[in-house]
Amino acid sequence: MLALVDCNSCYASCEQIFRPDLRGRPVVVLSNNDGFVVARSKEAKLLGIGDLEPFFKIEHLLRHHDVAIFSSNYPLYGDISHRVMTTLRDFSPEVEVYSIDEMFLNLQGLREDWVEYGQGIRRTLWRDVRMPVGVGIAPSKTLAKLANRAAKKIPKCDGVCVLDGPQRWQWLQRHIPVDKVWGVGRRLAQRLGEFGIVTAYDLGQANPKILRRRTNINIERTIEELNGSPCFSLEEQPAPKKQIYCTRSFGEKLTELPPLLQAITLYASRAAEKLRAQEYLVTAIHLFLHTSPHEPNYYSRSTVVRCPYPTDDTRLIASLAKGAIRELYRPGHRFMKAGVGLVELVPKTLGQGDLFAIGQPARAGMMMQTLDRVNQRFGSGTLFLGAEGVQKQWKMRQAYRSPAYTTRFEALPVVNI
DNA sequence: TCTGGGGTCCTAGGACCC
DNA sequence: TCTGGGGTCCTAGGACCC
């Protein structure tokens, strides 16, 4: 058995931790660039505010109902997430951090009353972090996902749902549309519909071999999982990434080259940071930029540049990225977004293997190590390439951002006693 | 005034080469 | 009977997840 713990309306709940006056009130959190709604408190959902609704389309509705609006505050959410995960580690010796607001716990060998175990998790996380969560417990990840959904949706569950036998999970599956199954998106659901597969139960009863031929390979394992046979194992150490991307929409459309180059330098730096954290080197870099698809004369270009040698040096990666963007840039367009992808990676420890090939100078490695240490200790962005610029007028919009309560001294909450 | 996120992986299809 | 490869690289775009 394993458990999936998932924070309720994660970002909205994070905001409510330091604003208890907002508990019981409608709260929404917007995506990067204040683009659309990515988190809604229970009360906001009751107002009929949908998931992923463009902010500009519903702003009037939010104002009308006096909804509290927040821009995304990732330093805050990341820190709260870390507290949640740390607390959860006390409940199982083997865990997988699946996303910023979800964790799988292996329950193997823990003989417990699962409902009480789940309620214990909920009580503890509320007491220690003030984070409300749902707990789904089942023999496979896919079932634990469904259980988690039920824990939140079915009032009788009171936040915990245990699927410990076929009767229970089959009953639930009959009430869940197939596109809510983990790994089944809109497109696949449509295809499955052509075979008469509409609910999660239909999928569980389908013939895996036949469906595999007609759709994709993963569907076979999903079917097994729906029947209680685990196929996706718990990954304590997630597999190394095959690609690392950093892409952003700009706060305002960019027409000139210099700010584009600044932005791409920042994205290259972020991607290189992640690359070093994974202890890999990059050999090929993907660059792209495009205008808004909602505007006429849509312009979109991308290219791949090869590195002279496998590298994790921010300076080299940024310089290659800038060179490529110069080539892709055309005046007269209003660019909305650009990005850097490190697309061919090799483990750092693999080494060169070629006596005559040029490798990355050792000094570069030391320089990057110093850069990372300073930024880890004093905060991301303490040391950065001058080419990023200082003003950064292209930064994303964050008109409603809350303070970094837990990660900046000057933003610490003040308590009046 | 104008406004639609970000990350990862996969695949289709064309160009090019032997 | 009718037909004619296969690999690699590149770009574009889609699918799915949170």
Side-chain angles (χ1 to χ4, degrees), chain A residues 323-389:
Chain A
I325 287 293
R326 274 198 193 91
E327 298 292 319
L328 299 179
Y329 171 80
R330 294 287 178 279
H333 289 290
R334 288 158 43 82
F335 290 101
M336 169 190 135
K337 182 173 182 173
V340 176
L342 311 180
V343 287
E344 277 176 36
L345 310 181
V346 292
K348 205 171 176 176
T349 49
L350 217 59
Q352 270 295 318
D354 183 344
L355 185 60
F356 299 103
I358 309 168
Q360 174 165 279
R363 292 171 60 88
M366 289 160 62
M367 171 75 104
M368 289 305 114
Q369 211 173 50
T370 306
L371 182 76
D372 288 336
R373 279 191 189 152
V374 169
N375 282 337
Q376 272 159 25
R377 181 152 160 68
F378 298 103
S380 177
T382 302
L383 280 183
F384 61 93
L385 295 186
E388 283 178 25

Side-chain angles (χ1 to χ4, degrees), chain A residues 1 137-139 143 162-173 226-228:
Chain A
M1 295 291 268
I137 297 178
L143 283 177
V162 180
L163 300 177
D164 51 5
Q167 299 86 351
R168 284 177 193 269
W169 65 64
Q170 286 180 3
W171 177 87
L172 183 62
Q173 286 170 5
L226 283 173
N227 286 292

Side-chain angles (χ1 to χ4, degrees), chain A residues 152-201:
Chain A
K152 292 181 180 183
K153 291 226 168 193
I154 303 175
K156 221 175 78 179
C157 286
D158 193 23
V160 178
C161 173
V162 180
L163 300 177
D164 51 5
Q167 299 86 351
R168 284 177 193 269
W169 65 64
Q170 286 180 3
W171 177 87
L172 183 62
Q173 286 170 5
R174 286 178 208 268
H175 293 83
I176 295 185
V178 71
D179 67 328
K180 297 297 183 292
V181 174
W182 197 37
V184 179
R186 202 163 40 93
R187 191 63 196 272
L188 185 52
Q190 197 185 342
R191 184 106 179 88
L192 292 172
E194 294 167 13
F195 306 127
I197 296 171
V198 180
T199 66
Y201 176 78

